[in-house]
Amino acid sequence: MNQLTITRNDGVATVVISNPPANILTIDLINEVNTFVLSLKDDRDTKVVIFKSSNELFFLAHLDLNVINGTPEGQAACIEFSHMINNLKAMKQLSIAIVDGVARGGGDEFVMACDLSYATENAVFAQPELNVNIPTGGQGAVQYARRMGKSKALQALLTGADFTAKQAESLNIITQFVPKAELDAFLDQLFLVTGNLEVRDIVMYKEIIAASIKDEGAGAELELRYFLERAKEERTQAIFAAFLKHGGQTEREATDFQGLFADTAAELEG
Amino acid sequence: MNQLTITRNDGVATVVISNPPANILTIDLINEVNTFVLSLKDDRDTKVVIFKSSNELFFLAHLDLNVINGTPEGQAACIEFSHMINNLKAMKQLSIAIVDGVARGGGDEFVMACDLSYATENAVFAQPELNVNIPTGGQGAVQYARRMGKSKALQALLTGADFTAKQAESLNIITQFVPKAELDAFLDQLFLVTGNLEVRDIVMYKEIIAASIKDEGAGAELELRYFLERAKEERTQAIFAAFLKHGGQTEREATDFQGLFADTAAELEG
Amino acid sequence: MNQLTITRNDGVATVVISNPPANILTIDLINEVNTFVLSLKDDRDTKVVIFKSSNELFFLAHLDLNVINGTPEGQAACIEFSHMINNLKAMKQLSIAIVDGVARGGGDEFVMACDLSYATENAVFAQPELNVNIPTGGQGAVQYARRMGKSKALQALLTGADFTAKQAESLNIITQFVPKAELDAFLDQLFLVTGNLEVRDIVMYKEIIAASIKDEGAGAELELRYFLERAKEERTQAIFAAFLKHGGQTEREATDFQGLFADTAAELEG
């Protein structure tokens, strides 16, 4: 990989994107992302994938304009870009975009294709495609419509306006604004909590969420089926026993919920 | 009823939940809720049902872990819990949860199964099930997905994080945050307004809302049908006459809308 | 036209509504709106339609109560009102409501039938129909359900409560609150940006948004088809060439995005 630097630590793969000068989504970069993402298909050791940028100004710019040229090769590259978005959306692992710079066009679409996204005061989000006579091509309009409703989405797409991270959180473009000074501590805390997850946990909730958004009743059925299956696991009963021993189902749930889980975990490890 | 104390006053049934020490959703409590809710099926005198807790710390804790054990009896109890959620959602009356304490897991799901929910600075909401190796089982993940969108829902479900009432309002978990000091006055005002409703009014709007969320066009058709039917009622024409007599369709609608309705009501009662 | 004053300037039609004393949606006013909106069907010169009121207190009040009377003529008028809402929603042009007064009932429904809506500190929004024994009849309940979710929608419809512009923005009733003192500058900026649009651009994004809200996958397919078609246009390639000449795909996208587009536009005009 030339534009992606990947390091792995304790179930978390960190992918640093570097494609100077502006982290443009060239076909080479797209191919690298697709190769990496598809390589995770049967990987159960990697649970979380973080996408970051080494560029001071850009998280990720847009699709390379040189391939949006209407030639057969160009159209094929555009379709690869579209596959990249779908590949990201289909990941079994928890994908997280950490945005500390510009993410317009394809960059914004990349962010929305990730499960979670956290952005700082340096982040900028927009879908300004109409300024250059094209619509979004990586589900930017699709996601805007579904996340902010038709009126706010239409305004954003027709004007191409920039959004800050705070605005993007409010409009559901990203999960949460996190000030840069607090980002490391925030992520440490997040990995502490998600570090115990298995890929199957992540897949389960992604499936229930996707089903529920399409059809409330179908989501409820799927959730109940998972619930009844998981109730039967020995691991569940062991955790319950430790939890109840340390004050589960008593007032401690209201007064010291974190301590109760810490004692439960210690009991299970002991 | 042992865990529910029910009082009725002027069309409003107030249900106080008490299942010490932590208002756990034991199978007994679930059965009492189901019995009560199903008893309202043909009741047209009860228009509003308020759910409160007498416990200082808890609104309602989660489903009793002792029944999540994979045995046939346990699974049957889990399914009764699931029926309770669906029974609450299917109520014809207006159901309102008043949350002044902890509502995690099944407690949070109970709140989201009610039509309206108001919570104070003492409230806590969460779906922390994954900490004990199970998913939500009472449509917690379903509701999170539909209320806050897939990214914020996935974050909330994977981390199990606590939400305050203010956060819960912003994420559509509850209807509105109301400071405890203002709660009584807020509810008095709400009952003043909803006191004139009939069960059929509540059912009508619940039906239109449910249809509209599934399919915009079907919702619009249903709404128009109700509208044209209601236009024909004598009661409608009597209200219109009083409303027009006191300044309906004049500037008074802009300068004194409440007074206009007060005079309309007085005219009709006179 | 007696109640509508229409002026046209550079692709923008401004429609001023005047139906004293309270801008009631009488059948005459409804017929004028329908005639005007339907006249735009094949008009490609008019790109944006602004709806304003000349009334100091009202943007637009509700449907005339005198036609909600259950007679055949009355029901026909109600259905014309319902057609008006659907005609507004089906417009190819970008429709914008500027709300500087009361918009309850049919007025609120008119606003939500427009693509974009901006409202000042003088605006009031509500669906108080249940106070007069009828439901909403112009998709007010439908839109509330889809924009604010079932719980907040039910509360709003059962109480008929007034919303300010700030609240209406937060609940997705309108696109954005704009202080009256800033309104002219805000609209000048909006028309500057949207002035370069063609009707086909507006139609394209409306179609993608509508498809995406119904079905995410169908929206994504439609978006990609438009994207690949637009890539082939000579105009697209000319804009790309000018954009790249002036610093597109370099750091200038992060440091001076507006200047980059200004230079691109000057290059194309030159």
Side-chain angles (χ1 to χ4, degrees), chain A residues 207-222:
Chain A
E207 282 180 8
I208 295 171
I209 288 171
S212 300
I213 287 174
K214 277 199 181 163
D215 182 302
E216 186 167 348
E221 273 182 44
L222 181 63

Side-chain angles (χ1 to χ4, degrees), chain B residues 240-254:
Chain B
F240 284 7
F243 183 76
L244 290 168
K245 178 176 170 187
H246 288 280
Q249 312 216 148
T250 73
E251 292 189 356
R252 195 178 183 197
E253 286 196 11

Side-chain angles (χ1 to χ4, degrees), chain A residues 118 169 175 212 216 223 253, chain B residues 62 136 139 146 151 155:
Chain A
Y118 302 104
E169 175 184 337
T175 317
S212 300
E216 186 167 348
E223 188 200 79
E253 286 195 13
Chain B
H62 46 78
T136 55
Q139 304 185 25
R146 296 184 69 85
S151 179
Q155 176 185 246

Side-chain angles (χ1 to χ4, degrees), chain A residues 39-213:
Chain A
S39 78
L40 294 170
K41 193 157 177 286
D42 298 313
D43 182 344
R44 293 295 170 273
D45 298 323
T46 306
K47 299 164 186 178
V48 177
V49 176
I50 312 286
F51 292 101
K52 296 170 119 169
S53 161
S54 66
N55 189 298
E56 283 208 1
L57 295 171
F58 293 87
F59 170 71
L60 202 54
H62 46 78
L63 177 57
D64 185 359
L65 298 189
N66 296 299
V67 306
I68 312 175
N69 59 17
T71 66
E73 295 77 17
Q75 303 289 64
C78 291
I79 288 167
E80 275 311 301
F81 166 68
S82 156
H83 286 165
M84 182 191 75
I85 296 295
N86 283 326
N87 289 338
L88 286 166
K89 287 173 71 178
M91 281 175 67
K92 291 188 173 2
Q93 288 79 10
L94 180 65
S95 58
I96 306 179
I98 308 295
V99 186
D100 187 40
V102 172
R104 294 197 190 97
D108 193 31
E109 291 167 323
F110 189 106
V111 172
M112 293 191 288
C114 291
D115 295 319
L116 306 182
S117 45
Y118 302 104
T120 73
E121 58 275 20
N122 301 320
V124 175
F125 302 93
Q127 298 287 167
E129 283 83 351
L130 210 48
N131 282 314
V132 293
N133 200 45
I134 51 172
T136 55
Q139 304 185 25
V142 178
Q143 293 304 317
Y144 272 24
R146 297 184 69 86
R147 288 161 189 247
M148 60 184 87
K150 68 180 176 179
S151 180
K152 288 175 183 170
L154 189 63
Q155 176 185 246
L157 294 165
L158 292 182
T159 65
D162 281 347
F163 294 115
T164 64
K166 275 192 190 180
Q167 292 172 317
E169 175 184 337
S170 161
L171 293 166
N172 291 313
I173 297 172
I174 63 167
T175 317
Q176 196 174 318
F177 162 66
V178 182
K180 184 159 190 181
E182 300 170 18
L183 188 59
D184 286 346
F186 177 87
L187 292 175
D188 285 349
Q189 179 60 28
L190 182 69
F191 298 150
L192 200 68
V193 176
T194 56
N196 297 317
L197 299 178
E198 297 170 41
V199 170
R200 67 169 190 150
D201 297 328
I202 298 161
V203 168
M204 173 177 72
Y205 265 142
K206 287 197 202 188
E207 282 180 8
I208 295 171
I209 288 171
S212 300
I213 287 174

Side-chain angles (χ1 to χ4, degrees), chain B residues 94-96 115-118 169 174-178 186-187 190 193-194 197 202 205-206 209, chain C residues 127-128 130 144-145 148-163 167 171:
Chain B
L94 180 65
S95 58
I96 306 178
D115 294 319
L116 306 182
S117 46
Y118 302 104
E169 175 184 336
I174 63 167
T175 317
Q176 196 175 317
F177 162 65
V178 181
F186 177 87
L187 292 176
L190 182 69
V193 176
T194 56
L197 299 179
I202 298 161
Y205 266 142
K206 288 197 201 188
I209 288 171
Chain C
Q127 298 287 168
L130 210 48
Y144 272 23
M148 58 184 88
K150 68 180 176 178
S151 180
K152 288 175 183 169
L154 189 63
Q155 176 185 246
L157 294 165
L158 292 182
T159 65
D162 280 347
F163 294 114
Q167 291 172 317
L171 292 166

